[in-house]
Amino acid sequence: MKNTKTIKHILFFLVAVVVLACEPDQVLYKTNQIFNDTRIKVNLKPSAWTMESFSSEETSGEGDTGRAADILDADLETFWHSCWTCDPGAQHPHELVINFGSEISIGGLQIAQRQSLSRAIKDIEVEISTDGSSWTSMGSFTLSRVAELQPVDFGENKTAMYVKIIINSSHDGSIFAALAQVGGYVYE
């Protein structure tokens, strides 16, 4: 029994060393190979990504945040919020379209809910495009109500210049939605 505990502690220590030794943007997925997925996922750097379009954004009721571009600023404390000061307020489905700046290879998205979990998104559809006109569905996904990165996996690398996130429902059942960050990864 003592040997089993010692081995578990050693394994935990080794995993912690590997995690701390990785660059911050590689930690989440390079360590996933210890669990179920043996493919290595490398985070994409969204520094050139821009918002192509959005169905609504909150420009006054959330202080210095609430805008669609806030999902690309690498700050978990800022967030996009659907417009709730509009009359009438924005309703589902909400839509966010991101322009990657050029065609890229992408294996999936990383999505972070608003950190307070207020208006956390539940059901989404994701579509990709190389031209912004013809769209291919990557599927429907259900996000958890947690304040950590969640993968939205495409199953394999795809070529795209745009990604459209269609938000169909929120965990609290309201017509509003909020989202902190969107990133992506590619399979090596």
Side-chain angles (χ1 to χ4, degrees), residues 102-188:
S102 62
E103 285 190 6
I104 64 169
S105 185
I106 185 166
L109 299 175
Q110 301 173 78
I111 295 181
Q113 301 276 18
R114 179 180 179 180
Q115 297 301 281
S116 70
L117 298 178
S118 175
R119 307 298 187 221
I121 292 168
K122 184 176 180 186
D123 296 307
I124 64 171
E125 295 174 50
V126 177
E127 298 177 350
I128 60 171
S129 174
T130 56
D131 62 9
S133 298
S134 301
W135 296 90
T136 302
S137 176
M138 294 294 100
S140 296
F141 304 88
T142 299
L143 300 177
S144 298
R145 192 175 185 271
V146 296
E148 54 194 51
L149 285 173
Q150 300 179 58
V152 173
D153 194 74
F154 301 164
E156 63 185 4
N157 288 338
K158 303 286 185 177
T159 300
M161 185 166 167
Y162 303 90
V163 64
K164 182 189 299 182
I165 302 168
I166 303 163
I167 301 153
N168 291 314
S169 68
S170 298
H171 279 278
D172 64 5
S174 81
I175 62 172
F176 305 112
L179 187 63
Q181 289 298 298
V182 174
Y185 57 85
V186 63
Y187 290 105
E188 284 188 339

Side-chain angles (χ1 to χ4, degrees), residues 51-63:
M51 291 305 303
E52 182 72 14
S53 65
F54 49 88
S55 55
S56 77
E57 65 181 357
E58 183 54 48
T59 58
S60 62
E62 296 293 338

